[in-house]
Amino acid sequence: MTRTDRQRWLFPSHLVEPGGSGAPRPRRTVRDWIVDTTLFLLAAFFGLLVVDGSAPYTSETVAFVDQLLGAAACCALWLRRRWPVGLAVGLSLVSVVEPVAAGALLAALFSVAVRRPFREVAWIGGLATAASVAQVFVRPDPTVNVGLGLAIGFVLILLVTAWGMLVRSRRLLVEALRERARRAEAEAGLRAEQAQRLAREAIAREMHDVLAHRLTLLSVHAGALEFRPDAPPEQVARAAGVIRDSAHEALQDLREIIGVLRAPDDGDGGHRPQPTLATLGALIDESREAGADVVLDTTVDDPAAVPAATGRTVYRIAQEALTNARKHAPGTTVTVTVRGRPGEGLTVDVHNPAPAGPVPHVPGSGQGLIGLTERAALAGGRLEHGSAPGGGFSLHAWLPWPP
């Protein structure tokens, strides 16, 4: 049980059990019972004072009737939470001939000011004021001047109404703050869900970009060993070495991604450096060692000068394009062209001709290109891909390179 649950009795019932149009009326809390009992006792005490003060000037029958009506008015206060307006109107009319009901009328006016908008409070307060004026002339108090009686009635009605409106404003403020906190909590939950979704998408893209390249090398060389069991020992050893190195690199990349999932990067440099444009040559050499025919044409003299995020995007684009070429156009020459300078941006073009023979369908094709398009857009650039005019497949990407 929380501290708030233990202190529920300190709050009004409408804050503990907020109800709507179709919700049942909230039950009184301990605080509500204390307030209602206190108002009942105060109204009864006020009525007794009035009866005691007017006893010498009234008959026994009138005094008895006043006591009965005063007790009924005080008992009616227990209905002020359910019918505040009707009770206030009724007590205003009764108070014209029964000064004993004045205390109950003040309590009813307080309830109206707490629960109703200003327009209703204004006309009910005006009715109560008119009833107070009429009561001074209908049942005058011989011990009190008429002007003083009018002033006392007006001041009491004004004070009680203002007090009730102050309580209402504070309650509205508390409800507004609760609603704002509830809305902020809901928005925080939505932001957390969105952040988790974006993180999962980023991790999925990274795993695809990193592992697809390695696993494609494994598939190509494993297939070569399967279909060429009579290959020379040198070729078998070379293919086995590429498979071993690719598997080792894939495991390293997988460990790195899993490490990011387990704990955030603390900046201690324990992770392997991320690829950039400067490591694009190593990627090309690795593809050549795997048997691919790749041509790299670049005019960027200082790859280290390219921003790290841009260079990493170029690397991933070239990596995915080489992977797709090995899967969909094996044995063709892939041309990777990199152009750009600071202030003009960086362009990446990858082209491969159509394969000479039929190529089996690869499941999951196209997912990497979708991820690359989104990656380029997040970097502030654009990526286009499709069939080349002269046949084959081409990919063109532009990325910003600030001056």
Side-chain angles (χ1 to χ4, degrees):
M1 180 180 295
T2 63
R3 181 178 180 182
T4 302
D5 294 334
R6 292 194 301 267
Q7 296 180 348
R8 288 167 64 93
W9 66 275
L10 295 175
F11 298 96
S13 57
H14 75 283
L15 292 180
V16 176
E17 300 178 5
S21 57
R25 188 173 61 90
R27 300 175 58 184
R28 286 186 177 93
T29 61
V30 176
R31 176 190 178 279
D32 292 340
W33 282 105
I34 294 175
V35 172
D36 292 347
T37 304
T38 302
L39 289 179
F40 172 80
L41 294 177
L42 289 177
F45 179 72
F46 188 86
L48 291 176
L49 291 179
V50 174
V51 170
D52 184 68
S54 61
Y57 309 100
T58 58
S59 63
E60 293 183 359
T61 302
V62 174
F64 178 73
V65 172
D66 288 344
Q67 292 177 10
L68 290 180
L69 292 178
C74 293
C75 293
L77 289 179
W78 293 102
L79 304 176
R80 68 184 185 90
R81 296 182 182 274
R82 181 173 298 184
W83 300 297
V85 176
L87 180 62
V89 173
L91 291 179
S92 297
L93 299 178
V94 171
S95 65
V96 174
V97 295
E98 286 297 338
V100 181
L105 173 61
L106 294 177
L109 287 177
F110 176 79
S111 299
V112 172
V114 169
R115 290 171 174 78
R116 297 301 181 187
F118 176 76
R119 180 176 299 180
E120 295 186 23
V121 175
W123 74 262
I124 293 177
L127 177 63
T129 303
S132 176
V133 173
Q135 185 266 328
V136 171
F137 294 99
V138 174
R139 293 287 301 271
D141 187 352
T143 62
V144 179
N145 190 342
V146 174
L148 180 60
L150 294 175
I152 292 175
F154 178 77
V155 170
L156 288 177
I157 292 174
L158 182 63
L159 288 177
V160 169
T161 304
W163 184 20
M165 294 177 64
L166 177 62
V167 173
R168 172 180 171 81
S169 64
R170 292 188 60 184
R171 288 188 178 183
L172 292 177
L173 177 61
V174 172
E175 292 178 357
L177 293 176
R178 291 181 62 183
E179 181 63 26
R180 184 181 301 176
R182 190 181 300 111
R183 190 182 302 113
E185 184 177 357
E187 292 176 355
L190 291 177
R191 286 195 297 268
E193 293 179 0
Q194 184 179 9
Q196 291 177 355
R197 179 178 57 81
L198 294 177
R200 286 194 295 266
E201 293 177 356
I203 292 171
R205 287 195 303 268
E206 193 70 18
M207 292 185 68
H208 180 277
D209 295 341
V210 172
L211 296 180
H213 176 72
R214 308 293 182 190
L215 296 180
T216 301
L217 292 178
L218 288 173
S219 177
V220 169
H221 288 278
L225 291 178
E226 180 182 2
F227 290 104
R228 291 291 308 275
D230 56 343
E234 295 80 6
Q235 294 184 4
V236 174
R238 179 183 175 186
V242 172
I243 292 176
R244 180 194 59 197
D245 295 339
S246 298
H248 178 72
E249 292 292 334
L251 288 175
Q252 290 287 72
D253 293 334
L254 186 59
R255 289 194 189 99
E256 182 179 354
I257 295 174
I258 293 176
V260 173
L261 291 175
R262 287 178 176 174
D265 187 5
D266 54 4
D268 58 357
H271 299 293
R272 294 190 302 164
Q274 292 293 320
T276 61
L277 187 59
T279 58
L280 181 60
L283 175 66
I284 301 299
D285 295 338
E286 183 181 2
S287 298
R288 290 170 179 169
E289 292 178 359
D293 185 6
V294 184
V295 177
L296 176 62
D297 183 12
T298 177
T299 60
V300 181
D301 299 330
D302 187 10
V306 179
T310 303
R312 186 179 306 112
T313 304
V314 172
Y315 183 95
R316 295 305 185 194
I317 291 174
Q319 186 182 49
E320 178 64 23
L322 294 175
T323 301
N324 290 338
R326 282 194 296 270
K327 291 191 296 185
H328 304 291
T332 61
T333 301
V334 184
T335 304
V336 180
T337 305
V338 181
R339 298 282 189 272
R341 63 178 59 183
E344 296 182 358
L346 200 64
T347 60
V348 183
D349 291 282
V350 183
H351 175 266
N352 63 270
V359 179
H361 175 70
V362 180
S365 301
Q367 299 299 320
L369 293 176
I370 296 175
L372 287 182
T373 303
E374 185 177 357
R375 181 188 288 271
L378 292 176
R382 58 183 180 273
L383 186 141
E384 301 171 356
H385 56 83
S387 300
F393 189 84
S394 64
L395 182 149
H396 173 78
W398 178 87
L399 300 171
W401 187 356

